[in-house]
Amino acid sequence: MTPPRLADLSLGPGLPLGPDLSPGLSLGPGAGGCPSPCAGGGRAGQDVVPYLADPSTTLLAHGIGSQHDLPISPFYAFAGAFAALFVSFLALGLLWSTSRFRGARSGLALPVRLQRVADAPATRTTLRGLGLTAALALLLHLLLGPDDPARNPAPGAVYVLLWVGLVPASLLLGPVWRLVNPLRTLHRLAVAPRRRAPHRPLTDRPLTDRPLPARLGQWPAAVGLFGFTWLELVSPDPASTTTLLIALGCFVVGQLALAARYGEKWFAAGDPFEAYSDLLARLSPLGRRTDGRLVLRNPFHGLDATPERPGLVAVVCVLLGSTAYDGYSDNPSWINAIQTSPLGRTPTATLGLLGSIALVAALYCLCAAATRLVSGPHPRPLTAFAHSLVPIALGYLVAHYFSLLVTEGPRTVIMAVGTDNASEPLPPLGPGGLAALQVIAVVTGHVLGVIAAHDRSVRLFPPAKAVAGQLPLLALMITYTIGGLSLLLN
């Protein structure tokens, strides 16, 4: 029995199709898009030009709930969100006058035995071996498997297990991709013979000794993240094995070539998945102190330790902007604009993705400028509060991709192990529970962002200006909240 596709099961993550929706239509411009709420002939969809779904693109359809799926009215959703933000802001201003987060200096040390096991060469080698094995399995499925995502687990492995699965893995275990990254392993295997070569002359120094420009920061990772989100949300056939082979081939060659020039340290700055995993791992209860000890910590301490590197704002804005674009890409008016654009579907969708990211970045830059105007100059106004956007990005990721992971993730594993007679995994939450989870995730992310920004503000600015300097940040949080909830209600 051929497993049903996600587009045949749901309008968003786990939300069942209504009686007037046709699963045979795919109107979204993203990774297959989602069936339009108006595809069944509703008034709002009369101007939309439908086209038949491509089986290779409907697999990865996903979105978020619509207005009729929410268990509460839009008024109460917005009112509750605003109340949570204002109460948090007022309480912090009255009760939180000094910085409480200590970054990488904090944490309760875990037993030495546990750290020895975690840091043992055998453990690290095993993890690298698992990552390399998974990469080889993915390559074999792309080369030898059918070009049909309903029967080939490769697209699901890339877009679900890797992209979405890194969220809970990094939150629970820390920066796991750094440990299993198959490109790191391939680079180490490539340079190992040269490192062991005896009596190497000085003129034969490896290219890995070249320093990585400090001004580069995480800009390469931001560019890589944009490339991946473009592949998922904009490219004409993202689930095609040919598309994935070309994209992964270019990515692997480029990453290994740059690692050959700059050394293994390149991956920390230039690998988008490492930057993605490391950023989310800042909110993990597991971390490292400055002395190298493995510790249990308050996630806010880890978030406070986020390095203020060039490109950090760009990485977070790509995450926020691409998720926002994915949320409105199945809006009937946007679908109609793409299908009727004289530029063509792909260029228009690319401009939409760029515009969404640019809007998120512009709002943050305006907020940073206003903070400098209210509280006084600061040497790094852009990166000083960028860490406060990480919980917001996490909230959007949870709201947007939770059901995709818990439904398509197991199905991908079932296909990979060849279990044809296994029952299809069902969404763990009904429409009402899922919608509540989405609203809670978005609002909680913004409240955590307010807390992180307040602690940084009282550390950087004098007490008389610390609270006033947060007003632009509060306005930014409210703006992002309006945008996030509007996507849920759209």
Side-chain angles (χ1 to χ4, degrees):
M1 175 179 179
T2 302
R5 303 185 183 101
L6 183 60
D8 299 330
L9 296 175
S10 65
L11 172 64
L15 302 180
L17 288 167
D20 60 342
L21 296 179
S22 171
L25 297 177
S26 176
L27 305 179
C34 297
S36 167
C38 304
R43 180 177 179 182
Q46 290 176 354
D47 297 329
V48 177
V49 182
Y51 58 86
L52 294 178
D54 184 343
S56 67
T57 62
T58 54
L59 167 69
L60 299 170
H62 54 276
I64 48 183
S66 56
Q67 181 170 338
H68 66 274
D69 293 314
L70 289 175
I72 56 177
S73 70
F75 172 80
Y76 289 115
F78 280 108
F82 294 157
L85 289 174
F86 278 113
V87 169
S88 301
F89 177 78
L90 292 175
L92 291 169
L94 293 173
L95 305 175
W96 198 310
S97 58
T98 59
S99 177
R100 304 184 183 185
F101 302 146
R102 296 181 292 126
R105 302 188 306 274
S106 66
L108 176 65
L110 292 173
V112 176
R113 285 186 178 180
L114 182 60
Q115 176 155 352
R116 287 175 180 170
V117 172
D119 293 341
T123 303
R124 300 304 176 97
T125 302
T126 300
L127 292 174
R128 295 188 192 106
L130 290 174
L132 192 57
T133 301
L136 291 174
L138 172 66
L139 180 61
L140 289 176
H141 281 294
L142 288 174
L143 291 173
L144 305 178
D147 193 8
D148 179 3
R151 296 183 294 121
N152 192 329
V158 173
Y159 296 118
V160 181
L161 297 183
L162 173 59
W163 179 243
V164 185
L166 270 180
V167 176
S170 301
L171 286 176
L172 294 175
L173 303 174
V176 292
W177 190 248
R178 190 188 308 168
L179 300 176
V180 301
N181 188 350
L183 297 184
R184 274 188 183 263
T185 304
L186 289 175
H187 173 74
R188 290 189 176 189
L189 293 175
V191 302
R194 299 182 67 180
R195 288 177 178 172
R196 290 194 297 263
H199 309 300
R200 185 176 63 243
L202 293 178
T203 55
D204 192 29
R205 294 180 64 191
L207 293 177
T208 53
D209 288 345
R210 298 191 180 184
L212 192 65
R215 66 180 181 277
L216 211 58
Q218 290 189 304
W219 279 105
V223 174
L225 283 172
F226 174 78
F228 180 82
T229 55
W230 183 92
L231 178 69
E232 181 195 12
L233 304 175
V234 175
S235 63
D237 199 5
S240 164
T241 54
T242 302
T243 300
L244 284 173
L245 277 172
I246 294 173
L248 291 177
C250 294
F251 175 72
V252 169
V253 171
Q255 289 287 310
L256 291 179
L258 289 165
R261 178 180 179 86
Y262 295 113
E264 191 173 339
K265 58 183 176 293
W266 162 259
F267 295 107
D271 189 309
F273 300 106
E274 279 207 16
Y276 175 57
S277 176
D278 290 357
L279 198 60
L280 294 173
R282 294 292 170 184
L283 287 167
S284 172
L286 288 176
R288 296 273 181 176
R289 277 197 320 227
T290 50
D291 60 1
R293 285 300 302 272
L294 190 64
V295 296
L296 282 176
R297 65 186 181 190
N298 180 341
F300 278 112
H301 292 299
L303 185 62
D304 187 67
T306 304
E308 296 181 34
R309 304 173 61 189
L312 172 62
V313 175
V315 168
V316 182
C317 288
V318 169
L319 291 178
L320 285 171
S322 61
T323 306
Y325 176 80
D326 199 6
Y328 72 74
S329 62
D330 62 346
N331 184 283
S333 60
W334 178 248
I335 295 167
N336 190 44
I338 283 183
Q339 294 177 340
T340 59
S341 172
L343 296 176
R345 175 202 171 279
T346 301
T348 305
T350 301
L351 290 176
L353 178 60
L354 284 171
S356 180
I357 296 171
L359 177 61
V360 171
L363 290 173
Y364 178 77
C365 292
L366 287 174
C367 170
T371 299
R372 174 189 285 250
L373 184 65
V374 173
S375 299
H378 185 269
R380 295 182 300 274
L382 282 180
T383 56
F385 294 96
H387 70 297
S388 65
L389 299 183
V390 177
I392 300 174
L394 175 61
Y396 287 151
L397 289 169
V398 172
H400 201 74
Y401 296 113
F402 168 78
S403 188
L404 181 73
L405 177 63
V406 298
T407 54
E408 288 298 298
R411 194 177 75 85
T412 299
V413 174
I414 289 171
M415 279 194 292
V417 299
T419 309
D420 295 331
N421 58 350
S423 59
E424 277 296 309
L426 298 176
L429 298 175
L434 178 63
L437 172 67
Q438 292 171 330
V439 173
I440 291 171
V442 170
V443 175
T444 301
H446 285 85
V447 171
L448 297 181
V450 168
I451 295 173
H454 176 84
D455 188 86
R456 182 63 58 87
S457 182
V458 297
R459 180 189 306 169
L460 296 178
F461 303 121
K465 296 183 177 180
V467 175
Q470 291 180 71
L471 291 175
L473 289 167
L474 178 63
L476 178 69
M477 300 297 179
I478 291 175
T479 303
Y480 284 167
T481 302
I482 291 174
L485 292 181
S486 296
L487 291 175
L488 289 176
L489 300 173
N490 186 7

